[in-house]
Amino acid sequence: MITIEQAYKIVLQDVKSLETEKVSFTDSLGRILAEDVKSDIEMPPFDKSAMDGYACRKEDLGNPLEIIEVIPAGKTPEKIIGKNQCANIMTGAPIPEGADTVVQVELTEVAGNSVKVLEAPKKSNISYRAEDVEVGTKVLSKGIKIEAQHIAVFAAVGYTDVLVYRKPKIGIISTGDELVEPQNKPALSQIRNSNGYQLIAQVKACGAIANYIGIADDTPEDTFDKVSKALNENDIVLLTGGVSMGSFDFVPQVLEQAGVKIEFDAIAVKPGKPTTFGKADDKYCFGLPGNPVSSFMQFDLLVKPLIYHLMGQEYEPLDIRMPMGVEYKRRNADRRAYFPVIIRDGEIFPVDYHGSAHIHALSSAHGIASIEIGKGEIKKGEMIHVRQI
Ligand code: AMP
Ligand code: MG
């Protein structure tokens, strides 16, 4: 059986990013930037005041200053500041010629047309032209996931047509005769299809397109029909269930029938051991375990990085290191185990978790911790890694 690290390498081997397309910067949130962005202007574009106050000459700070002009933001100053003169200036307004200092309002006393400086400012309070960015400076790098603060940069440098990678299309199939859709009340021996909807949401959270195909019966025929359709229309196909050792677990067999070359069908990991992965030309296919917690974790560990690589990003989950708040023990250490945890007062605590069907254990978790193969316990206070989910 391969390790999760080997499985990760196999999944990401030779992955090429999808084609690029242009979208308006206002629609680019969550997409992956496909080129470096350079500024077409200097920032700030002129010397501007960082404070509301009085622009004057530093050498005159000890004298009463005559106010010769008011400069709101957006106005070009008309006068030159001479000896013992100042302009009442607002934040963001251009510094008038002759001035080298802005005294903030709080440090002044005004009487009629004259300003007295009560205390000299500690710095010039001027943001100088091009001190942040010069023309041609790279302001954003190819491969970032676009967030609100990047959209501000697009706006500031006039980059309104954003080059991004196409969103991968992900086909989702739940398998199992016992499944009913969530709006139906399960009869005895039935359960609701929670995986399908969890996967749709996980796919959307990555910024990809989720195509829900539906529930496949536990027959090779129905599974084959749905897999063939899904492979035709998508970049990645995800199935859940039907990958264990039961008499009605047909997924690996059907994938091969549909032309998928299976790369692995078991990983030394808990939960998620029977996770299956294969490729058909440029399409990728995962048979994820049926249990919702296993499906969630294997998506996070393997599918999510693949989706991001297709979108042109080297995916790195946020990983933090903190001490365990309690001792953690296990009897069998032959697989790497992942367990949901919460972070409280700077320490990590496993959430009460009865196994891979315990769906709401995940709901309260802040992240997933893991214990490596061969390790039976984590001591209280031992530093461990938590992967943010
Ligand atoms: P399987 O691998 O098909 O044997 O499924 C393993 C377990 O996961 C069984 O208890 C299934 O009932 C359950 N399961 C399978 N698919 C789903 C699903 N879509 N939603 C919730 N539970 C599921
Ligand atoms: Mg099943």
Side-chain angles (χ1 to χ4, degrees):
M1 212 169 0
I2 61 169
T3 62
I4 187 78
E5 292 81 6
Q6 288 166 322
Y8 180 84
K9 278 203 186 114
I10 293 171
V11 170
L12 295 184
Q13 209 169 22
D14 307 324
V15 177
K16 293 196 183 55
S17 36
L18 299 173
E19 318 84 81
T20 56
E21 61 188 18
K22 290 228 166 169
V23 296
S24 163
F25 78 115
T26 54
D27 295 327
S28 66
L29 186 68
R31 306 295 295 270
I32 308 294
L33 185 62
E35 64 181 353
D36 292 342
V37 176
K38 296 186 174 150
S39 180
D40 67 341
I41 53 167
E42 294 172 325
M43 282 194 265
F46 47 84
D47 292 349
K48 65 179 184 182
S49 179
M51 293 284 174
D52 293 324
Y54 296 90
C56 62
R57 307 183 328 165
K58 194 172 177 202
E59 59 191 273
D60 298 339
L61 287 175
N63 310 329
L65 304 170
E66 180 202 354
I67 304 171
I68 59 165
E69 191 180 359
V70 178
I71 315 171
K75 188 185 167 216
T76 305
E78 283 161 10
K79 295 185 178 157
I80 299 172
I81 303 296
K83 188 168 174 50
N84 294 336
Q85 292 182 325
C86 71
N88 183 202
I89 193 164
M90 312 303 144
T91 305
I95 300 293
E97 219 183 304
D100 58 10
T101 299
V102 175
V103 189
Q104 52 268 55
V105 173
E106 296 85 332
L107 304 183
T108 61
E109 204 173 73
V110 181
N113 206 27
S114 177
V115 179
K116 191 173 151 203
V117 178
L118 304 173
E119 190 189 318
K122 294 200 171 54
K123 46 189 185 188
S124 73
N125 292 320
I126 296 172
S127 305
Y128 294 98
R129 178 164 73 87
E131 75 176 4
D132 296 341
V133 170
E134 296 187 21
V135 172
T137 302
K138 181 166 55 157
V139 284
L140 292 173
S141 298
K142 175 180 171 168
I144 57 158
K145 185 169 188 183
I146 299 166
E147 315 262 9
Q149 61 273 33
H150 304 132
I151 292 183
V153 177
F154 294 157
V157 302
Y159 183 73
T160 52
D161 287 329
V162 179
L163 193 72
V164 293
Y165 293 96
R166 169 168 80 73
K167 290 183 179 187
K169 290 184 228 154
I170 322 293
I172 296 165
I173 304 167
S174 299
T175 74
D177 285 344
E178 75 279 30
L179 300 179
V180 295
E181 293 293 20
Q183 55 277 20
N184 304 320
K185 185 111 188 194
L188 203 68
S189 82
Q190 293 183 321
I191 58 164
R192 288 194 173 106
N193 171 21
S194 45
N195 283 339
Y197 297 91
Q198 179 169 252
L199 285 172
I200 292 171
Q202 284 179 294
V203 164
K204 285 185 181 167
C206 294
I209 298 169
N211 288 324
Y212 179 56
I213 313 278
I215 298 172
D217 305 338
D218 277 327
T219 62
E221 296 76 22
D222 194 37
T223 310
F224 180 83
D225 287 349
K226 292 203 164 64
V227 167
S228 306
K229 175 180 155 62
L231 275 173
N232 261 330
E233 297 167 356
N234 296 283
D235 302 295
I236 302 177
V237 176
L238 304 178
L239 293 103
T240 61
V243 285
S244 326
M245 302 305 284
S247 312
F248 299 94
D249 292 332
F250 299 118
V251 167
Q253 164 199 330
V254 166
L255 291 181
E256 287 200 299
Q257 224 181 310
V260 174
K261 185 174 163 289
I262 305 289
E263 307 263 347
F264 59 78
D265 60 6
I267 311 175
V269 67
K270 188 179 185 289
K273 183 176 159 194
T275 299
T276 299
F277 171 73
K279 288 188 213 169
D281 299 324
D282 56 346
K283 310 277 171 124
Y284 302 85
C285 203
F286 288 88
L288 299 171
N291 273 314
V293 177
S294 317
S295 169
F296 180 93
M297 289 204 189
Q298 293 311 317
F299 181 97
D300 207 71
L301 294 170
L302 298 175
V303 185
K304 192 171 175 179
L306 174 60
I307 292 178
Y308 276 108
H309 272 73
L310 286 173
M311 293 195 299
Q313 196 194 40
E314 303 278 321
Y315 173 72
E316 282 288 340
L318 187 65
D319 180 289
I320 49 175
R321 227 169 140 250
M322 277 189 173
M324 274 295 269
V326 287
E327 188 186 42
Y328 177 91
K329 273 195 165 154
R330 60 173 179 165
R331 254 174 273 128
N332 192 340
D334 62 349
R335 291 185 262 162
R336 180 182 275 280
Y338 287 87
F339 52 97
V341 296
I342 56 164
I343 298 168
R344 200 173 54 226
D345 298 333
E347 290 185 315
I348 294 166
F349 297 88
V351 295
D352 193 21
Y353 173 52
H354 306 144
S356 52
H358 192 176
I359 184 76
H360 49 275
L362 271 182
S363 314
S364 59
H366 297 137
I368 304 173
S370 81
I371 175 165
E372 69 211 52
I373 294 175
K375 194 168 156 74
E377 64 172 345
I378 303 171
K379 296 197 177 63
K380 178 172 158 52
E382 195 177 324
M383 297 296 280
I384 60 162
H385 291 270
V386 174
R387 180 189 172 99
Q388 197 196 32
I389 50 172

